[in-house]
Amino acid sequence: MKLVLGPGLNFRPVEDSYYKVLLASTVIWGLIFLLPMIILAIFLASFEFPGVLLWVLAAVILVILLISFVFVKRRARAIGYVELENELVVRRGIFFQRLAVVPYGRMQQVNVSAGPLLNRFGLSEIELVTAAVTTNVKIPGIARTEAERLREKLTALGASQMEGL
Amino acid sequence: MSFEELNNGLKNTTADFSPHQFSVTESVAQQSDIKTVPEDQWRKFHPVTPVAYLGSFWIILIAFIFSGISSLAEEEGVMEGLMRLFSDEAGYYWFIFIAIALVVSIAIVFISWLLWRKMSYALLADGVHHRTGIIFKKHRQVRWDRIQTVEVEQKLFGRIFGFGSVKIDSAGTENVELGLLRLAECGALRAEILRVLNLARTGESFTVNYNPDLNQQQTVQLNGELPADIGSFSTVGNSLVTDELSGQSIGMQSIPVLDADDIENDRLVYELGFGRLFVASLTSGKFWILLLIVFPSVISLFTALEAGIFTSLIAVIGIVVSLVSSLLSDFGTRIYLSENGLRRRAGLTRLTTRTFPPARVHAIEISQQLLWRRWDWWSIKITVAGLNVLSDANQGSLNNFILAGKREEVMRLLWMMIPNLGVENNREFLKEAFEGLDSGKYFQGSPKSARIFDPVSLRGRGFFASEQVVVIRKGRFARSVAFILQDHTQSLSLETGPFKRRRGLVDISFHTVMGDVTTTAKHLDLEQMQSFFWEEVKLSTQARNEGISETLQVWRERVGV
């Protein structure tokens, strides 16, 4: 699974522990989908045509879950960012790869947030907001200190290079 | 979630996010910020305003009556149902019904009248003020430099009796609607707001000088002949075309502007005739899809028993109404070249007039429906900063800037919105944009390896970037060409999925403010794009630094207003 976008850029990875967050959230989401399926399957407890579909569905979800386990580390490692002279470059994804370039002068807000999972591992997520909704750039899984540093830097750069729409 | 909610949502996060945020929204000042407005500065709206509120009540009433009749007819059959409706027995209920309707109408007018007495507006040096409310008083102020768009709107009532309201949209929050006012007054008010906000934005000093009584006496000036020197892209930089075009007034006969709100002496640069509106709508893809949906209902209309007839009828009527309403919103589209930008005036039952200052246009998409090829018609969509807030769902967003125009007309409008394409030969370039296939002198086509994703229209895809614009071409038989102004791109991204990656393909997206133009170029060659992408990043940085967009002053000189 080669990361094809942005070769030659020295991406700074997110924290090593971020894969644990991905792992935990995968498990939680997996269970949310899997449990009702299994409970229903047990209640209906048949291996004939309509009932067996539930088992098949449960098996499929399980397989997807297992596959995602294999990839969490790589997914975490695929996230990276570079602070260039005029813009911030953020890369993410292994199957669906995306590389976004946000000029500092375009940033309207820099949001730092941390959900319960991220918080547990002492991590934060940083989100860049421009006038375009489609920008949609987030860097999850960076250390809180790093998030604060980035926010302050980006905000300062944004304010000094601020351009009209 | 609507755009508006989204915008408000964004705004709320801004407000929560304390010292480090540097938001550009915050348009309507808080109560405490508002300095008191001298009492004599307040102006009232037209006394007819309360009556106009009745309109929506009567629409509900009519819908109620219709549903009553249709349920009656379904129960008892059409003829019997109608008979009963006009029997003596029913007359009694009709009497009660009409009496109630009258009482409620009077009550509505009375309450609206009370509200109207407390409604007023003022134009001051610090912005537009608007206050309403008896019990819950509301005073809103929109600062001059925060105003995004100003439009005159006429609903059915206003259309019939010659009233309108001026809608002011400021980034992020709700609109301020000033109305009803006499149409001439609306025009004057809009012109004054536009004048002042332009001065405020460029930082010049200004005095608000609005006197509706004076303006009302201002006569409507008729437009003379269109000067021959009006420019267009096809006439620029190529002597061959000038011959073709000179002396020709394509769809722009010297039509005097008689509309009451056109008090600025503006030039008509485009007009959509009813014939073309009708034909273009009937030949558009949207119509055929609608027809496909309606078809079963029509069949059932003819085959159904009498009892079910109303249900099918309602379904058919609903679809026809939705078609007609989209037709209505484009009805009589006229584009004027005014001092403050291109002014669009369109609509039958709801006439809206909107001015698009040139610097606010961020992207333009020109597209052609499959069946329009023989007439060489194209429609224009634009992405305009601050517009998404205005176009809420029930209003029907501004889908088309123009529904269908001949190529010359479209080229002229394009030229009015984009100063410079950044190429030596505009004509050659545009020909390639509108007709070209694969890679050419200017455009970079998509590689053959993408054929599996896009067997038919792949050859139409193309991508071009100069310091001024990014141009994305797509479609082969039904075509679309999107122009994105370089200095208005917010950010950009490269995207690829597992299958595309295997074939060495990538999509490039340009993120602009919310609008109708699609800004993704798909299925491009990954290898080429890797380096090209950074080239493009550099181009847009350069464009922003140099500020390639024209100021209003320069624009005026260029287009000659």
Side-chain angles (χ1 to χ4, degrees), chain B residues 32-61:
Chain B
S32 56
D33 296 346
I34 297 171
K35 280 176 251 150
T36 46
V37 179
E39 209 49 45
D40 62 326
Q41 290 293 321
W42 287 111
R43 292 175 200 287
K44 304 220 64 76
F45 297 112
H46 198 277
V48 82
T49 311
V51 181
Y53 279 101
L54 270 183
S56 37
F57 171 65
W58 282 350
I59 286 171
I60 297 168
L61 217 61

Side-chain angles (χ1 to χ4, degrees), chain B residues 268-416:
Chain B
L268 183 68
V269 289
Y270 168 83
E271 186 174 20
L272 179 66
F274 184 73
R276 199 190 292 172
L277 169 73
F278 191 70
V279 176
S281 303
L282 287 191
T283 49
S284 72
K286 199 171 134 196
F287 175 76
W288 289 98
I289 292 169
L290 262 178
L291 210 63
L292 228 62
I293 302 167
V294 183
F295 198 63
S297 306
V298 176
I299 296 287
S300 70
L301 191 62
F302 287 112
T303 58
L305 299 169
E306 210 173 320
I309 212 163
F310 263 91
T311 338
S312 318
L313 195 63
I314 287 168
V316 172
I317 287 173
I319 288 160
V320 169
V321 163
S322 84
L323 182 74
V324 168
S325 71
S326 79
L327 214 106
L328 292 184
S329 65
D330 280 318
F331 179 85
T333 306
R334 285 174 175 193
I335 312 287
Y336 298 94
L337 193 57
S338 82
E339 274 192 349
N340 301 304
L342 287 175
R343 190 144 55 82
R344 180 184 191 267
R345 197 167 179 283
L348 183 65
T349 50
R350 182 196 288 260
L351 181 76
T352 51
T353 304
R354 240 175 228 167
T355 302
F356 300 96
R360 290 205 164 271
V361 177
H362 286 197
I364 302 155
E365 184 171 347
I366 300 178
S367 57
Q368 183 173 52
Q369 302 276 348
L370 188 63
L371 295 174
W372 294 1
R373 286 170 69 92
R374 71 170 76 182
W375 300 294
D376 204 16
W377 287 348
W378 300 79
S379 58
I380 303 183
K381 291 180 176 175
I382 53 178
T383 289
V384 181
L387 190 69
N388 58 70
V389 192
L390 254 175
S391 45
D392 45 300
N394 60 3
Q395 199 174 314
S397 70
L398 180 90
N399 279 321
N400 296 309
F401 185 64
I402 62 168
L403 175 71
K406 293 201 203 102
R407 194 184 295 213
E408 297 88 346
E409 295 169 328
V410 168
M411 286 302 147
R412 179 168 293 127
L413 288 168
L414 183 67
W415 172 79
M416 285 168 185

Side-chain angles (χ1 to χ4, degrees), chain A residues 1 4 6-7 87 94-101 103 106-110 132-133 135 151 155 163 165, chain B residues 14 17 20 22 24 487-498 501 511-512 514 530 533-534 537 544:
Chain A
M1 219 57 71
V4 290
E87 53 269 320
I94 46 174
F95 288 105
F96 293 91
Q97 300 181 9
R98 183 178 199 252
L99 176 111
V101 176
R106 287 302 193 204
M107 289 175 201
Q108 306 239 358
Q109 288 172 45
V110 181
V133 184
T135 299
R151 192 193 71 186
T155 312
E163 291 144 346
L165 294 177
Chain B
T14 313
F17 198 72
H20 296 286
F22 43 97
V24 291
D487 58 344
H488 291 310
T489 53
Q490 301 294 315
S491 56
L492 42 159
S493 65
L494 284 176
E495 274 150 60
T496 181
R501 197 170 61 240
H511 309 142
T512 64
M514 217 178 286
Q530 294 284 17
F533 183 69
W534 297 105
V537 171
R544 284 198 307 274

Side-chain angles (χ1 to χ4, degrees), chain B residues 198-231:
Chain B
N198 274 318
L199 292 175
R201 216 177 261 144
T202 48
E204 290 166 60
S205 63
F206 58 88
T207 46
V208 182
N209 180 24
Y210 175 61
N211 189 343
D213 307 325
L214 259 180
N215 274 309
Q216 254 173 342
Q217 288 154 17
Q218 194 174 337
T219 47
V220 179
Q221 287 182 326
L222 301 187
N223 268 3
E225 295 260 337
L226 191 81
D229 64 341
I230 188 161

Side-chain angles (χ1 to χ4, degrees), chain A residues 57-73:
Chain A
L57 217 57
V60 169
I61 292 172
L62 197 67
V63 169
I64 293 173
L65 204 60
L66 290 177
I67 293 174
S68 346
F69 283 152
V70 179
F71 286 105
V72 276
K73 268 200 169 169

Side-chain angles (χ1 to χ4, degrees), chain B residues 499-539:
Chain B
F499 300 109
K500 283 187 183 173
R501 197 170 61 240
R502 192 155 302 162
R503 297 190 158 261
L505 299 172
V506 73
D507 298 345
I508 176 167
S509 284
F510 297 85
H511 309 142
T512 64
V513 295
M514 217 178 286
D516 295 316
V517 178
T518 45
T519 52
T520 302
K522 286 187 169 173
H523 309 323
L524 292 163
D525 187 77
L526 179 63
E527 286 303 311
Q528 272 170 353
M529 278 301 131
Q530 294 284 17
S531 54
F532 185 83
F533 183 69
W534 297 105
E535 204 76 5
E536 164 53 28
V537 171
K538 245 181 257 161
L539 282 175

Side-chain angles (χ1 to χ4, degrees), chain B residues 157-205:
Chain B
F157 179 85
R159 272 294 256 175
I160 297 168
F161 298 105
F163 295 97
S165 51
V166 176
K167 269 187 162 179
I168 299 172
D169 169 43
S170 55
T173 43
E174 43 180 334
N175 304 326
V176 173
E177 190 174 336
L178 308 177
L180 300 174
L181 297 166
R182 285 221 165 274
L183 206 52
E185 222 175 307
C186 285
L189 182 59
R190 202 192 78 241
E192 176 63 11
I193 292 172
L194 285 170
R195 187 186 70 84
V196 175
L197 80 88
N198 274 318
L199 292 175
R201 216 177 261 144
T202 48
E204 290 166 60
S205 63

